[in-house]
Amino acid sequence: MNSTMEGGRKLAAWTLVLASLGSFLASLDVVVVATALPALRSGLGADLADLEWTVNAYNLVCACLMLTGAALGDRFGRRRTFVLGVLVFGAASTAAALAGDATTLILARAVQGAGAAIVLPLSLTLISDAFPAERRSVAIGIWGGVSGLGVAAGPVVGGAVVQGISWHWIFWLNVPVALAVAALSAVRLRESHGPRPHLDLPGVLLGGAGLLALVWAPVRAPVVGWTSAEVLGALVAGVLLMVAFVRWERRAAYPMLPLRYFRSRAFSAANAVIFIQFISLIGSLFIITQLFQIGLGYRPLEAGLRLLVWMAMPMLVAPVGGVLAGRFGNRPVMLVGMVLQGAGLGWLAAEVRPGVGYGLLVAPLIVAGVGISLVFPTSADAVVAAVPPQDAGVAAGTNTSLREIGGVFGVAVLAAVFAAHGGYADFLHGVRAALVVAAVAPALGVVAAYLVPARAPAPERQAEPLYAG
């Protein structure tokens, strides 16, 4: 008995470390390129459209393939697929580091996004499988902190590497870490499968195409306009494809996404919370990064270091949020987090005016960062807890997919607000307007968080799995 318990603890520890490292790599590369854009422009002769796609190719592919990554893990083995995803990410990082032109770099970034789409949902699924329910909230809190550290470290790592070495090394640094994580995962993690004996290929194609069209619209809107034929056509196509996806999933023998889980208040509300949070979070990150460099005149590394008071909060607070959720339930912690995120960004918007110094922005950034930290792990835990354990991959894939899509929409919406209220011609006025929208969005998240049950359903009250095994 003691040896079995010791083995279980070792498995859980290895799973938490390796899954969190995989998530860290994928999260880091969401934003690490941002501070390298000027160097890419001069080093590769890239134009503005190339630079935009260097960022968007990763986010677009990652958002659209997240559910597919989770489904592949359920079908072919979560450990095996996680290792494959990490290796794909490492290989694509090598290709990005060796890129001699913008087109090659963009293609490598798209493949990186495909690897991240496998790693991110399966990292959460592996943790959910390795930890019992009573310890899962704390584990997910630590996972959330490490993932948040990846986002926080992105601007700093990118700025330091570009200024100290060269832009190539923001990709080279991924390679040894990816190889180590893949090798250790292959021997230290436990294999598990989802309940589906067959891959829902029509569902994968319809869902991926529908998400691609829906995400393509906000990515292209800042360039060609929201009323352009391209954007409106993408939105219409996305809606039609998602309708077809829903119709197919309702009658598929082994659906990729069992739609009945959306009848669960915990599942639907917690997913709505993370979608709204990332509209506010990634949209405001896009604006605040420019505020520090254009409005306050900081260099990329200087701006990245000053962002740490905001973006490093998940590393410090998310594990505490997991502990509090384990004691008091997800809903109260999530509610406090959404309120703090909105209040901090609203306070920040009020401070943005001509002559403002960094010192006046520190406190609101900390408040917003604490709020973000409380929501990130609790929403993930609430979603996973709302489904049977064998469908944790579906829950994690849905949650991370909506998170990434929310971030894409956040950048598009806040960029549109910024442009409509002065843009670069009246910079601070545009920034203030965009931050007001970022502060208002969490109010909708408060409503969604209130609908999350105060406590996760007991195992005997969870929804029955869709398949017998």
Side-chain angles (χ1 to χ4, degrees), residues 194-413:
R196 293 156 188 75
H198 302 290
L199 183 64
D200 176 22
L201 188 57
V204 167
L205 295 175
L206 287 171
L211 288 174
L212 174 62
L214 289 176
V215 176
W216 183 275
V219 166
R220 291 289 293 157
V223 179
V224 299
W226 281 97
T227 58
S228 67
E230 179 182 347
V231 170
L232 293 177
L235 288 173
V236 171
V239 170
L240 292 176
L241 285 166
M242 292 309 293
V243 169
F245 170 74
V246 169
R247 290 173 64 89
W248 170 259
E249 294 296 282
R250 283 178 174 172
R251 61 187 180 86
Y254 301 101
M256 178 175 68
L257 177 60
L259 299 177
R260 71 192 189 107
Y261 288 148
F262 284 99
R263 295 199 295 267
S264 163
R265 193 177 58 162
F267 186 84
S268 295
N271 276 316
V273 167
I274 200 67
F275 177 75
I276 293 167
Q277 186 201 34
F278 267 68
I279 289 177
S280 175
L281 169 59
I282 302 301
S284 58
L285 175 64
F286 176 77
I287 295 296
I288 293 169
T289 301
Q290 296 187 79
L291 169 65
F292 279 18
Q293 294 187 60
I294 298 174
L296 302 184
Y298 294 119
R299 297 178 68 190
L301 177 57
E302 295 170 337
L305 289 171
R306 284 164 175 79
L307 279 171
L308 282 178
V309 297
W310 176 39
M311 298 306 295
M313 285 298 109
M315 177 184 64
L316 303 174
V317 181
V320 177
V323 173
L324 293 174
R327 182 173 181 182
F328 300 108
N330 287 311
R331 182 173 68 184
V333 180
M334 206 180 299
L335 280 168
V336 171
M338 293 306 296
V339 169
L340 289 177
Q341 181 175 342
L345 291 174
W347 184 2
L348 186 70
E351 295 289 357
V352 173
R353 57 184 179 272
V356 66
Y358 174 71
L360 291 176
L361 307 181
V362 171
L365 286 172
I366 290 174
V367 171
V370 171
I372 291 163
S373 307
L374 296 177
V375 175
F376 191 50
T378 50
S379 63
D381 186 40
V383 167
V384 170
V387 304
Q390 57 264 50
D391 266 343
V394 173
T398 305
N399 189 250
T400 46
S401 181
L402 287 171
R403 186 181 80 184
E404 299 302 317
I405 294 170
V408 172
F409 272 88
V411 171
V413 170

Side-chain angles (χ1 to χ4, degrees), residues 77-95:
R78 292 157 178 167
R79 180 188 64 188
R80 182 183 296 113
T81 309
F82 178 78
V83 170
L84 175 64
V86 173
L87 290 175
V88 168
F89 186 89
S93 297
T94 302

Side-chain angles (χ1 to χ4, degrees), residues 187-201:
V187 298
R188 293 292 184 179
L189 301 187
R190 178 173 64 195
E191 186 61 281
S192 63
H193 294 77
R196 293 156 188 75
H198 302 290
L199 183 64
D200 176 22
L201 188 57

Side-chain angles (χ1 to χ4, degrees), residues 5-237:
M5 293 177 61
E6 181 65 23
R9 284 194 290 267
K10 287 183 178 179
L11 170 67
W14 275 109
T15 302
L16 181 58
V17 169
L18 294 171
S20 296
L21 280 174
S23 179
F24 173 84
L25 278 178
S27 300
L28 178 73
D29 271 57
V30 171
V31 292
V32 72
V33 172
T35 47
L37 293 178
L40 294 174
R41 181 172 177 269
S42 59
L44 298 177
D47 59 22
L48 179 59
D50 292 330
L51 296 179
E52 289 176 349
W53 277 108
T54 300
V55 177
N56 288 336
Y58 183 92
N59 295 333
L60 190 66
V61 173
C62 186
C64 294
L65 294 184
M66 201 78 71
L67 280 173
T68 302
L72 290 172
D74 281 356
R75 173 64 182 87
F76 297 108
R78 292 157 178 167
R79 180 188 64 188
R80 182 183 296 113
T81 309
F82 178 78
V83 170
L84 175 64
V86 173
L87 290 175
V88 168
F89 186 89
S93 297
T94 302
L98 294 173
D101 57 78
T103 301
T104 303
L105 178 60
I106 291 167
L107 291 173
R109 288 283 288 167
V111 178
Q112 266 193 317
I118 296 172
V119 170
L120 282 170
L122 291 182
S123 67
L124 182 56
T125 307
L126 289 166
I127 290 173
S128 300
D129 178 68
F131 284 84
E134 64 272 13
R135 293 169 55 202
R136 188 181 58 224
S137 295
V138 176
I140 290 179
I142 296 171
W143 169 84
V146 176
S147 300
L149 175 62
V151 176
V156 180
V157 171
V161 170
V162 170
Q163 287 185 202
I165 313 176
S166 74
W167 66 263
H168 305 80
W169 280 91
I170 62 176
F171 301 113
W172 279 126
L173 291 175
N174 291 333
V175 178
V177 180
L179 290 174
V181 170
L184 288 170
S185 297
V187 298
R188 293 292 184 179
L189 301 187
R190 178 173 64 195
E191 186 61 281
S192 63
H193 294 77
R196 293 156 188 75
H198 302 290
L199 183 64
D200 176 22
L201 188 57
V204 167
L205 295 175
L206 287 171
L211 288 174
L212 174 62
L214 289 176
V215 176
W216 183 275
V219 166
R220 291 289 293 157
V223 179
V224 299
W226 281 97
T227 58
S228 67
E230 179 182 347
V231 170
L232 293 177
L235 288 173
V236 171

